[in-house]
Amino acid sequence: EAKTLQVEIFMRQKIEKIEKTEQGFQVGPYAARKLLLATGSSQEGYAWAAQLGHTIQKPVPSLFTFNIPTSPLKELSGISHNPVELSLCGTSLVQKGALLITHFGFSGPAALKLSAWGAKILHEREYKTPLSINWLPDETTSQIFETLLALKKAAPEKTLLAENPFRFPKNLWKALLRDERRLNDISQKELQILAHKLHADIYQVEGKTTHKEEFVTCGGVSLKEVEFRTMESKVCPGLYFAGEILDIDGVTGGFNFQAAWTTGFIAGDSAINF
């Protein structure tokens, strides 16, 4: 389509500076009436936007997994459990979904969603924070305890490990329980402690994904400074934005692709029609 419309595409051009002019913009050696910045998470793009008057919300990684080197569950890599509730201790941030145990910590939808909503807080904490796992989010601590107590009364000679009343994956239940005694030998106090653990199991996060596998960036050009009907700047007429340079991110990679395509279409269409 670009060839049909005789659009010139210049590849591998080094742009040192962008300036606002009376006629529009000077983009390195090129003059233009309109300018669309679609530079993703490039630091140069943020710098150009700032030079043209925009506020940049600090860019930080989003949609990543949790590195927990002290996790006693790492040997269970590949096991998942659904649903769980993950929460960042000391905040109101909670996400529910499937959790995947990995050789370095935790992944899966619950972890990725929590990292997205908590991207800025996690960055401020340098990715070192206690993480709470509610392994049975559809039950209260009291309900969990009552289930354990009823099982103790009904089958005192059986082991809690073999009974597995909450239908955890076998090896995960064994790791969480770490107790092969008969129910009759487990005190009510110990059952209360177990119920609390299943409702609020604490792990220490010591970092995010170690292999640069973050999916998207949280932060960028402040949305308050962009007119969403056209994607034009409110502070620099003739300037448009599209994609990840904007402070837009969602809880799945697909959302971020869609945001890039949609803002790109609106910005391009608006730039040639207004």
Side-chain angles (χ1 to χ4, degrees):
E1 185 65 15
K3 288 180 179 178
T4 300
L5 297 173
Q6 297 182 327
V7 173
E8 290 186 86
I9 300 176
F10 297 92
M11 307 293 288
R12 308 178 73 86
Q13 301 293 301
K14 179 65 176 176
I15 304 300
E16 298 288 352
K17 186 167 60 173
I18 295 177
E19 295 178 300
K20 187 76 173 78
T21 66
E22 290 185 5
Q23 292 74 34
F25 301 89
Q26 190 67 34
V27 184
Y30 309 106
R33 289 190 304 108
K34 305 285 184 72
L35 174 64
L36 165 57
L37 287 180
T39 51
S41 56
S42 165
Q43 293 300 315
E44 286 183 313
Y46 297 136
W48 291 330
Q51 288 167 10
L52 294 169
H54 278 275
T55 303
I56 306 300
Q57 302 297 328
K58 185 177 178 61
V60 297
S62 181
L63 285 184
F64 49 83
T65 56
F66 295 116
N67 186 19
I68 306 176
T70 58
S71 171
L73 305 180
K74 291 192 296 182
E75 62 194 40
L76 305 180
S77 180
I79 289 179
S80 64
H81 186 58
N82 187 29
V84 306
E85 270 186 358
L86 291 188
S87 58
L88 291 180
C89 297
T91 77
S92 60
L93 295 173
V94 179
Q95 286 296 320
K96 185 177 181 179
L99 181 71
L100 174 66
I101 299 169
T102 72
H103 65 282
F104 54 79
F106 298 126
S107 183
L112 292 171
K113 288 190 291 184
L114 187 63
S115 77
W117 290 112
K120 293 181 180 179
I121 291 175
L122 286 162
H123 180 76
E124 290 169 0
R125 294 183 177 184
E126 297 182 335
Y127 306 101
K128 299 180 187 297
T129 186
L131 175 74
S132 177
I133 302 179
N134 181 352
W135 293 102
L136 298 167
D138 296 329
E139 299 189 48
T140 65
T141 304
S142 296
Q143 288 172 326
I144 297 170
F145 175 63
E146 290 301 324
T147 297
L148 293 171
L149 196 59
L151 186 61
K152 175 182 171 70
K153 292 178 180 178
E157 296 304 315
K158 295 185 177 180
T159 68
L160 185 53
L161 177 62
E163 289 301 289
N164 193 358
F166 305 108
R167 300 297 180 261
F168 282 100
K170 182 178 179 181
N171 287 336
L172 175 58
W173 177 235
K174 183 177 181 180
L176 292 173
L177 184 59
R178 297 189 180 280
D179 193 330
E180 298 186 21
R181 291 179 296 165
R182 296 178 305 165
L183 280 154
N184 198 43
D185 297 325
I186 302 175
S187 69
Q188 287 193 27
K189 179 64 176 178
E190 288 173 309
L191 292 180
Q192 284 181 323
I193 292 172
L194 176 59
H196 181 75
K197 175 179 178 173
L198 294 178
H199 202 258
D201 198 9
I202 305 299
Y203 295 81
Q204 181 61 37
V205 177
E206 293 292 346
K208 56 184 174 60
T209 315
T210 55
H211 305 296
K212 297 291 183 183
E213 293 175 353
E214 300 90 353
F215 291 99
V216 297
T217 299
C218 168
V221 173
S222 174
L223 303 184
K224 295 178 181 179
E225 300 169 354
V226 179
E227 171 52 65
F228 271 87
R229 288 173 297 181
T230 61
M231 301 312 300
E232 184 175 13
S233 166
K234 293 179 180 179
V235 299
C236 183
L239 175 64
Y240 296 79
F241 296 102
E244 198 158 285
I245 189 173
L246 293 159
D247 185 16
I248 297 176
D249 68 292
V251 296
T252 69
F255 175 93
N256 299 283
F257 278 129
Q258 185 62 61
W261 295 328
T262 300
T263 55
F265 179 87
I266 294 171
D269 190 59
S270 300
I272 63 171
N273 287 303
F274 288 92

